[in-house]
Amino acid sequence: MNIVSKRAVKSILLTLIALAGMTQLTQGSYIKLKASAADWLIQSSWANRNASGRTVKPWPWADTWVSAKLTVPRLSIEQYVMKDASGESLAFGPGFVSLPDQYDNQPTSIVAGHRDTHFQFLKDLRAGDRFQLENALGHTNHYQVVTRQVIDTEERAITIDPESNQLILVTCYPFESLLTGGSERFVVVAVATAS
């Protein structure tokens, strides 16, 4: 009887382990599918904004929307920039910390994103790289990277030159850290160019 009981226990345990593995696989697939659907809806909402620049929410209950499109040709990057840098927005893409006025060029804008998803490419940007930021009205500003630096925000703030037309891209640092919530930020400063 002991032998049958041990076999039955082993069989039950193996079945439970297999079920747990299948559950994890299913949940992981669901998250990937949900992220792909969100990306498609965000891209569609950008394409469907009307000529006045009126934004369209990616889904009816969304608490965020796309405010701009960031393109980095050298790295084949195309990111949709959300209206703000709240946790809800950053789950779907980088977001504006300071939102530029769509109708006139505000001198400096700051865009933040997560280091392990949308803004992971910042580590590959180099001084001299060029990129574009298109607003909801279809106006495109061109930028060139001038500096890349790591700033400990407990020691000093990210500085903005009010006289310069800049775009500052910010993400947490270090890129490969397993810990979150540190005070270091990777900051890319780019200045506006003619094209």
Side-chain angles (χ1 to χ4, degrees):
M1 190 76 171
N2 261 348
I3 293 175
V4 172
S5 295
K6 286 182 181 181
R7 283 186 183 163
V9 169
K10 281 183 181 180
S11 178
I12 290 170
L13 284 175
L14 288 174
T15 302
L16 289 174
I17 290 169
L19 285 173
M22 287 178 17
T23 300
Q24 291 296 317
L25 183 62
T26 302
Q27 285 177 338
S29 298
Y30 170 73
I31 289 169
K32 289 267 189 195
L33 180 63
K34 190 170 138 181
S36 293
D39 286 344
W40 181 81
L41 289 168
I42 287 168
Q43 184 176 3
S44 295
S45 72
W46 177 254
N48 292 326
R49 70 195 187 283
N50 65 26
S52 69
R54 187 176 159 274
T55 55
V56 178
K57 289 187 174 185
W59 46 89
W61 60 92
D63 51 8
T64 191
W65 55 86
V66 180
S67 291
K69 180 178 167 183
L70 176 69
T71 306
V72 185
R74 185 181 72 78
L75 299 176
S76 300
I77 298 292
E78 189 174 274
Q79 298 277 328
Y80 294 94
V81 182
M82 309 313 283
K83 71 171 179 87
D84 63 29
S86 68
E88 293 84 6
S89 292
L90 290 181
F92 300 105
F96 281 104
V97 174
S98 63
L99 184 62
D101 186 341
Q102 295 184 53
Y103 300 99
D104 59 34
N105 292 326
Q106 189 177 13
T108 298
S109 299
I110 300 174
V111 177
H114 289 307
R115 65 178 163 76
D116 54 354
T117 55
H118 298 97
F119 265 13
Q120 188 173 28
F121 78 90
L122 291 189
K123 66 183 174 187
D124 298 321
L125 280 177
R126 301 184 302 233
D129 277 347
R130 295 178 176 270
F131 59 88
Q132 297 84 39
L133 186 70
E134 178 186 357
N135 70 15
L137 292 173
H139 177 75
T140 301
N141 287 317
H142 299 267
Y143 296 92
Q144 184 172 11
V145 175
V146 289
T147 63
R148 301 167 5 123
Q149 58 187 319
V150 175
I151 293 176
D152 187 334
T153 57
E154 288 181 354
E155 295 176 8
R156 68 182 185 126
I158 297 170
T159 57
I160 298 170
D161 179 358
E163 303 300 318
S164 178
N165 187 350
Q166 298 177 328
L167 180 63
I168 300 173
L169 307 176
V170 180
T171 193
C172 292
Y173 187 83
F175 286 97
E176 310 307 328
S177 177
L178 296 176
L179 302 175
T180 60
S183 61
E184 291 184 317
R185 298 293 177 266
F186 189 80
V187 180
V188 175
V189 177
V191 294
T193 62
S195 63

